[in-house]
Amino acid sequence: MSVNEKEKDAAALREEGNTHFKAGDVQGAICCYTKALKLSDSQTENAVLYRNRSACYLKLEDYTKAEADAGKALDTDAGDVKARFRRAQAFQKLGRLDQAFLDTQRCAQLEPRNKAFQDLLRQLGAQIQQKSLQQNSTDARVQQMFNLLLDTSATDSDRQKAAQNLVVLSREEAGAEQIFRNDGVKLIQKLLVSKQEEVLLSALRTLVGLCTEHQSRTMAIVNELGMEHLCAVMGSGASTVSLAACHLLQVMFEALTQGMNREIRGKDEAILPEPSRELRSMLRHLLEMMPASNVSGPGRDSAINLLVKQVPRKSLKNPDNSRTLWVIDQGLKKILEVAGTVPELSEGLPLTDNSHMSCSVLLTKLYDDLKSDKERENFNTLCEEYVQQHFNRPGMDSKLRAIQTVSVLLQGPSDVGNRTLEMSGMMDAVISLCASKDVTHQQVAVEALIHAAGKAKRASFITANGVALLKDLYKQSENDRIRVRALVGLCKLGSAGGTDFSMKQFAEGSTLKLAKQCRKWLCNESLPATSRRWSVEGLAYLTFDADVKEDLVEDKNALLAMFELAKSEDKTVLFAVASTLVNCTNSYDVEKPDPQMVELAKYAKQHVPEEHPKDAPSFVEKRLLKLLEAGVVSALVCMVKQESPALTESCRECITRVFLALVERQEDRGTVVAQGGGKALIPLASDSTDLGKIKAAQALAKITITSNPEIAFPGERIYEVVRPLVSLLSLECTLLQNFEALMALTNLTGISERLRQKVIKEKAVPKVEGYMFEEHNLVRAAATECMCNLVLSAEVQKLYLATGNDRLKLLVLYSGEEDERLRKAAAGTLAMLTAEQPELCARVPGTTTHWMEILQALLLSEIVDLRHRGVVIVQNLMQAEKSLAETLMESEVLEILSVLAKGGESTRDPVSKTAQHCLDKAMEYGIIKSREEKERGEELGP
């Protein structure tokens, strides 16, 4: 290709990009300008392309790229005023006010009369002055706090107040920077050894402010304070201090891992080294905390929690799982040390009630993050070696550690747990220890037996070999801890048939007796919380039986006791409560078999699952009402707020399923919202399994459709609802979910321009347009209704103004459809568009040869809303162009308008008024004459 041809192609692409930009297609414009830059060899042409692309990035609020492109344009032509002004705008948004002021000042010198330049100059002057005052004020406040904290003669209360004020200052960028630059980290280091818990907490919270979204400060703080010191604080005895230190380390991890992009990496555009060394140091110290005997139980839980959140990949689309492989290589056996700890033994590590559950979650996350059979085999081998090593050692304590490790693996990566359970002599040891006289031995063995009964195959084996043993333990043991665990084992085995009414492991009525005993234990407040938690585990299995569900919801005391446990410090109960509620509300997925296949199965004498009569919709609805009356929503809200590895994605999905069941009835949605259900659903829509996210979004949609969104989601929360709703506009979702999302978005887009902009920013417009072609009448109408609100935004109007598309034609054709709801939506959209963008009026006759018939049909409709939309469209067309008014008046429209203008039942009838306005406009144009003019004409005639 010659140089001239390249330049021609680049120029054509630039013009195409300009067209896209004017039509509101900013991404299309960027694509054209980028292609043109690859073809163009002319510096002058490149400068224009960079300048234009900078304008696009400003529109997309990508100010870093906007500044870079404007700068490249100025490198070629320093006198390019447009490029300099765009760079000034980008600098302003990036917070670089001094540079923005210099660029704007230069623009004003080149074009002194340009009002936009003068306005920006005044605006920047005021911002710089305000920033200067704020900086001076912040400097003085920081220094005052430092002086108080260093003053040994100051009272404890004064020092506490100073430390708390430092926390407040650190939350502002100016205050955080000032603390950091004035050697604040060294001062905080001294506060971290304080004996006063409040001062220590304030020091940790101040560090959170310094590190939040700031990689350069975080790296400096990690290196100055040292991970060993921070981990020692987290491993201290006080749970509040441990949690605060855990939160700090979480913020540090996020700053280091997310800080790779330019906007966050220090905010001062500093060139920084990669933070991998600091990240590895943090992970290594967390792993070293696992087997350390001087670390408290809460501290160990916090370390596990951090590893759960930071090690596995956030998305399986990311191919790099090197961090997981490193942790498995360096620390899997250290994690297994925690898994195998039996706290009751003399040399046991300090643990909490949540430690083993947290450990099983971490092991699951690590195993699920592996990509190949080779990696999984290595994981299996390491676990088997660890278990075998302890199991083969002499002494009972080692065997108990091995069995406890197997138990945790069975709760976590069950495939790995099953392999260790199948090791020679393991199952025999578990069965024999169940009969031990030592309570600790019995407890470890019974728990392993319960977790081993997870699969139907193994459940059948244990039913044959272990049921009698569990019954004896339950009846004969004098220790409540053993009895309740034996009871749960029986419950788990008794529920092996699941929801299949015809598949029962035990005799008729046995499950009801087991459930009654579980409820009795649950309501017994004299028992320790851990024992009561096990009774909920039992109910989680037994509530597959509809008779058990009915008895449970009728027992309000048992429900209240279960909800109180869900709100307690014992996080291990969360999944059991969530599972029980899923069963009671029938919110699990049930595949209804094909009737023909059922008949074939019966003919072949194969087993056919049967539904319990009490699982019918009428029974489920009554159970939902009972749960609402007992306060299930407040319990679910508390469960969502829990910061614990026990709140796994699967647990969140269960909670989401229950919420969706609770909002199924329109009349119950107000109760759910009033008790905080709407607020709790928002995080569930972003942090759950893929299915859980969809169900949470659907529950949000149902609430948004029937409730006032501004009341259901007050303040800024309403904007957080948009993304989950847009996610439902997907082919992977059902048509019902699509429909409910469109209805909910219609409600939101009718509230404010800011909400419409949020919906547009989430790229919902093309999706809504796609559903306007859906075959299902309700979905198509809902999409058109949503578009009716979206066209109030100028950006969407530009899409209709752009040439070369059939958007306007579709609206005109839909206005003539038989479906009343679709006609109303389409005609309403057309009425608004023609009012906001008069130039569209001239295009209406070109959309279809039947446009006049469609308009007349609207005007003649028996439905008032359709007549009103019709006369508004006619009015807009007549006001836009005289030629359109003449075309309309030459048709039957004149006669129809004359009839409509004579009035309806009321003089305030909007249809009559608008029809009269149309006739008045025709008279103004001189197309028709008024009655008086006609009469005068007849008098003057021959």
Side-chain angles (χ1 to χ4, degrees):
M1 188 184 286
S2 68
V3 174
N4 285 339
E5 286 174 335
K6 278 187 176 182
E7 287 179 359
K8 281 180 183 177
D9 283 350
L13 281 166
R14 173 163 55 82
E15 287 303 320
E16 189 183 338
N18 293 346
T19 305
H20 281 305
F21 186 81
K22 288 173 185 173
D25 183 6
V26 181
Q27 289 289 2
I30 288 174
C31 187
C32 290
Y33 296 144
T34 305
K35 286 179 183 176
L37 280 164
K38 290 176 182 175
L39 292 173
S40 173
D41 295 325
S42 164
Q43 285 194 336
T44 308
E45 177 69 17
N46 286 354
V48 175
L49 289 167
Y50 278 124
R51 183 182 71 198
N52 290 0
R53 198 168 70 174
S54 176
C56 294
Y57 285 131
L58 281 173
K59 280 273 187 188
L60 293 175
E61 298 180 11
D62 193 339
Y63 303 117
T64 303
K65 288 181 180 176
E67 179 267 316
D69 273 2
K72 287 172 185 174
L74 289 169
D75 289 342
T76 302
D77 180 7
D80 188 336
V81 180
K82 284 185 179 178
R84 193 170 293 279
F85 184 59
R86 280 166 194 165
R87 190 169 75 170
Q89 289 175 302
F91 277 145
Q92 182 192 24
K93 294 294 184 181
L94 290 168
R96 293 154 68 178
L97 300 179
D98 292 343
Q99 290 165 287
F101 187 84
L102 289 172
D103 270 348
T104 312
Q105 196 173 47
R106 179 66 180 144
C107 291
Q109 288 169 353
L110 292 168
E111 293 184 16
R113 294 184 180 179
N114 191 311
K115 188 175 181 296
F117 299 164
Q118 297 297 337
D119 287 347
L120 184 58
L121 207 58
R122 279 193 291 273
Q123 194 179 347
L124 286 166
Q127 285 178 344
I128 289 168
Q129 188 177 8
Q130 185 181 359
K131 188 178 178 181
S132 177
L133 288 169
Q134 186 182 2
Q135 191 70 43
N136 292 334
S137 169
T138 303
D139 289 354
R141 284 190 292 164
V142 168
Q143 199 55 54
Q144 186 183 2
M145 296 309 111
F146 279 9
N147 292 339
L148 261 173
L149 288 166
L150 294 169
D151 185 0
T152 52
S153 62
T155 63
D156 286 348
S157 62
D158 285 343
R159 295 186 77 203
Q160 279 182 19
K161 284 178 185 175
Q164 287 164 2
N165 288 336
L166 210 58
V167 176
V168 176
L169 282 171
S170 71
R171 289 172 184 160
E172 304 166 6
E173 177 55 29
E177 192 61 26
Q178 197 59 33
I179 293 167
F180 184 73
R181 292 188 187 280
N182 285 359
D183 281 338
V185 178
K186 286 182 180 175
L187 172 68
I188 292 167
Q189 196 167 15
K190 293 177 183 176
L191 299 180
L192 287 174
V193 295
S194 172
K195 301 294 182 189
Q196 289 180 273
E197 189 174 299
E198 283 301 317
V199 172
L200 183 54
L201 287 170
S202 296
L204 291 168
R205 288 164 185 162
T206 303
L207 287 170
V208 168
L210 297 181
C211 294
T212 301
E213 291 189 354
H214 208 298
Q215 187 186 357
S216 58
R217 284 202 296 255
T218 302
M219 288 178 73
I221 289 166
V222 168
N223 288 314
E224 188 162 343
L225 293 181
M227 270 303 295
E228 194 172 348
H229 190 183
L230 292 172
C231 285
V233 174
M234 187 168 75
S236 65
S239 61
T240 49
V241 172
S242 178
L243 284 171
C246 179
H247 179 54
L248 168 61
L249 290 174
Q250 173 75 15
V251 168
M252 285 178 161
F253 266 114
E254 288 171 358
L256 292 173
T257 52
Q258 297 174 12
M260 304 299 184
N261 61 53
R262 191 179 171 193
E263 287 178 53
I264 297 176
R265 288 185 71 182
K267 296 182 181 175
D268 52 357
E269 302 298 321
I271 297 170
L272 299 169
E274 291 299 319
S276 55
R277 184 172 66 85
E278 284 77 7
L279 284 168
R280 286 281 164 88
S281 170
M282 292 173 79
L283 290 173
R284 187 173 63 254
H285 279 90
L286 290 176
L287 289 171
E288 285 170 1
M289 288 179 72
M290 295 292 108
S293 57
N294 62 339
V295 174
S296 68
R300 208 179 315 277
D301 285 357
S302 294
I304 295 171
N305 198 0
L306 283 167
L307 289 168
V308 167
K309 289 181 178 178
Q310 297 304 326
V311 176
R313 292 170 289 170
K314 298 291 186 289
S315 168
L316 294 180
K317 292 177 183 176
N318 174 12
D320 183 18
N321 69 339
S322 58
R323 206 181 297 173
T324 295
L325 295 176
W326 185 86
V327 167
I328 289 170
D329 182 51
Q330 300 291 318
L332 179 57
K333 291 196 174 179
K334 292 173 182 173
I335 296 166
L336 293 174
E337 284 287 316
V338 182
T341 295
V342 181
E344 290 80 5
L345 298 181
S346 57
E347 295 180 2
L349 298 171
L351 300 183
T352 68
D353 293 334
N354 304 308
S355 298
H356 282 144
M357 174 64 79
S358 300
C359 215
S360 69
V361 172
L362 174 57
L363 291 166
T364 302
K365 291 275 186 182
L366 294 174
Y367 188 74
D368 290 346
D369 201 40
L370 300 177
K371 296 190 294 184
S372 66
D373 289 342
K374 184 180 176 182
E375 291 173 358
R376 283 185 279 273
E377 187 57 37
N378 177 56
F379 189 98
N380 273 302
T381 303
L382 289 170
C383 292
E384 286 174 10
E385 285 174 358
Y386 179 86
V387 173
Q388 190 81 57
Q389 179 188 350
H390 282 281
F391 191 70
N392 291 339
R393 278 182 187 169
M396 186 53 67
D397 286 4
S398 289
K399 283 185 170 50
L400 288 173
R401 286 187 66 83
I403 294 170
Q404 181 61 55
T405 306
V406 171
S407 192
V408 170
L409 286 168
L410 285 165
Q411 290 180 81
S414 56
D415 290 343
V416 183
N418 281 320
R419 275 182 58 164
T420 55
L421 189 66
E422 287 162 6
M423 289 166 60
S424 177
M426 183 62 70
M427 199 66 196
D428 292 337
V430 170
I431 295 288
S432 63
L433 281 174
C434 284
S436 171
K437 298 296 181 186
D438 187 295
V439 174
T440 301
H441 297 179
Q442 281 187 317
Q443 183 175 316
V444 171
V446 171
E447 286 185 16
L449 198 65
I450 292 167
H451 299 311
K455 291 187 177 179
K457 179 182 174 184
R458 198 167 298 284
S460 302
F461 166 79
I462 297 170
T463 303
N465 297 278
V467 170
L469 181 62
L470 290 171
K471 283 182 178 177
D472 288 343
L473 283 173
Y474 175 65
K475 290 175 182 176
Q476 296 172 15
S477 176
E478 295 178 2
N479 188 286
D480 289 342
R481 287 187 297 165
I482 302 302
R483 292 187 69 211
V484 73
R485 284 162 174 78
L487 177 64
V488 172
L490 290 168
C491 293
K492 192 168 186 178
L493 293 168
S495 65
T499 56
D500 185 355
F501 182 46
S502 62
M503 285 281 286
K504 296 298 168 191
Q505 296 281 339
F506 293 159
E508 187 70 31
S510 296
T511 51
L512 287 173
K513 289 176 185 176
L514 290 171
K516 185 177 180 181
Q517 189 60 47
C518 282
R519 297 202 311 274
K520 184 180 174 183
W521 282 83
L522 178 60
C523 295
N524 188 347
E525 293 184 6
S526 63
L527 290 173
T530 48
S531 295
R532 297 172 67 207
R533 185 255 297 174
W534 277 99
S535 63
V536 182
E537 290 270 354
L539 289 169
Y541 298 121
L542 294 175
T543 45
F544 284 120
D545 187 328
D547 287 318
V548 176
K549 300 177 197 182
E550 288 293 314
D551 284 355
L552 177 59
V553 296
E554 290 297 332
D555 189 344
K556 192 167 184 179
N557 289 334
L559 289 178
L560 292 173
M562 183 170 70
F563 297 158
E564 283 305 310
L565 270 181
K567 299 173 188 178
S568 71
E569 291 297 313
D570 186 359
K571 312 295 190 300
T572 55
V573 78
L574 294 179
F575 189 73
V577 173
S579 299
T580 304
L581 292 172
V582 165
N583 293 340
C584 288
T585 56
N586 282 38
S587 47
Y588 42 74
D589 292 327
V590 179
E591 284 189 24
K592 291 192 176 178
D594 185 337
Q596 289 183 337
M597 295 303 293
V598 170
E599 291 303 316
L600 282 170
K602 285 179 180 177
Y603 179 75
K605 295 184 178 179
Q606 291 181 350
H607 173 68
V608 178
E610 294 178 24
E611 186 181 65
H612 197 293
K614 290 181 181 177
D615 276 329
S618 58
F619 282 92
V620 176
E621 191 174 305
K622 288 173 185 174
R623 290 203 291 267
L624 285 164
L625 287 172
K626 293 279 185 185
L627 288 169
L628 280 168
E629 287 168 11
V632 68
V633 176
S634 61
L636 291 170
V637 170
C638 285
M639 289 165 72
V640 173
K641 289 178 181 176
Q642 302 281 8
E643 272 293 328
S644 168
L647 188 64
T648 59
E649 288 187 346
S650 299
C651 185
R652 288 173 183 274
E653 184 190 313
C654 289
I655 294 170
T656 302
R657 287 175 178 275
V658 179
F659 267 126
L660 183 56
L662 291 170
V663 298
E664 189 61 42
R665 285 190 353 136
Q666 186 174 327
E667 49 267 48
D668 295 332
R669 293 172 194 171
T671 305
V672 174
V673 170
Q675 294 178 17
K679 180 183 175 182
L681 278 164
I682 294 172
L684 289 172
S686 59
D687 188 8
S688 182
T689 61
D690 290 340
L691 185 59
K693 290 174 188 176
I694 289 170
K695 290 188 178 294
Q698 189 179 4
L700 285 169
K702 287 178 184 290
I703 289 170
T704 309
I705 290 167
T706 53
S707 307
N708 181 342
E710 291 175 289
I711 295 172
F713 312 104
E716 294 296 304
R717 204 167 287 133
I718 193 170
Y719 301 98
E720 296 177 48
V721 178
V722 174
R723 182 170 293 175
L725 295 179
V726 174
S727 72
L728 290 177
L729 302 181
S730 164
L731 294 174
E732 294 174 5
C733 298
T734 63
L735 267 183
L736 175 62
Q737 289 165 342
N738 299 154
F739 173 69
E740 289 178 332
L742 289 165
M743 292 276 286
L745 287 169
T746 301
N747 269 6
L748 290 179
T749 49
I751 292 172
S752 70
E753 178 59 23
R754 190 181 165 196
L755 269 168
R756 285 190 287 275
Q757 286 301 318
K758 176 66 177 171
V759 172
I760 293 166
K761 198 170 181 180
E762 292 295 337
K763 300 178 181 176
V765 175
K767 295 179 180 180
V768 173
E769 285 187 314
Y771 284 104
M772 288 174 71
F773 292 94
E774 176 59 51
E775 289 183 13
H776 196 288
N777 286 344
L778 285 174
V779 176
R780 187 172 49 176
T784 310
E785 286 170 349
C786 189
M787 186 56 70
C788 188
N789 285 342
L790 283 169
V791 295
L792 291 169
S793 290
E795 288 171 54
V796 180
Q797 291 168 20
K798 286 177 183 175
L799 296 176
Y800 282 86
L801 284 169
T803 54
N805 67 73
D806 291 330
R807 290 185 175 96
L808 191 65
K809 180 179 180 178
L810 186 68
L811 291 177
V812 175
L813 291 173
Y814 277 0
S815 297
E817 285 284 314
E818 290 182 8
D819 180 35
E820 181 187 327
R821 184 171 177 176
L822 179 62
R823 284 182 79 194
K824 281 183 181 180
T829 311
L830 195 58
M832 278 194 274
L833 271 173
T834 50
E836 293 292 328
Q837 299 292 341
E839 61 184 281
L840 284 173
C841 296
R843 298 187 199 171
V844 171
T847 54
T848 170
T849 53
H850 302 293
W851 72 278
M852 186 70 77
E853 295 169 32
I854 291 169
L855 267 183
Q856 289 173 5
L858 287 173
L859 294 171
L860 292 168
S861 173
E862 294 179 1
I863 301 161
V864 176
D865 286 345
L866 286 174
R867 285 205 304 275
H868 187 217
R869 285 161 172 76
V871 291
V872 170
I873 295 168
V874 170
Q875 178 180 251
N876 295 340
L877 296 176
M878 292 181 70
Q879 287 177 342
E881 287 188 14
K882 184 178 178 182
S883 59
L884 282 173
E886 288 171 344
T887 304
L888 288 164
M889 292 302 101
E890 287 168 4
S891 70
E892 293 177 15
V893 170
L894 173 60
E895 187 179 341
I896 298 169
L897 288 174
S898 301
V899 173
L900 292 174
K902 288 177 182 176
E905 297 173 4
S906 167
T907 53
R908 295 188 178 184
D909 177 16
V911 175
S912 304
K913 283 187 174 182
T914 311
Q916 187 58 54
H917 289 158
C918 293
L919 295 173
D920 292 344
K921 193 68 184 177
M923 285 187 277
E924 186 185 316
Y925 284 139
I927 300 169
I928 61 172
K929 294 179 181 179
S930 65
R931 187 178 297 173
E932 290 80 5
E933 286 176 320
K934 282 183 181 178
E935 288 173 356
R936 281 200 299 272
E938 288 171 3
E939 288 173 7
L940 294 170

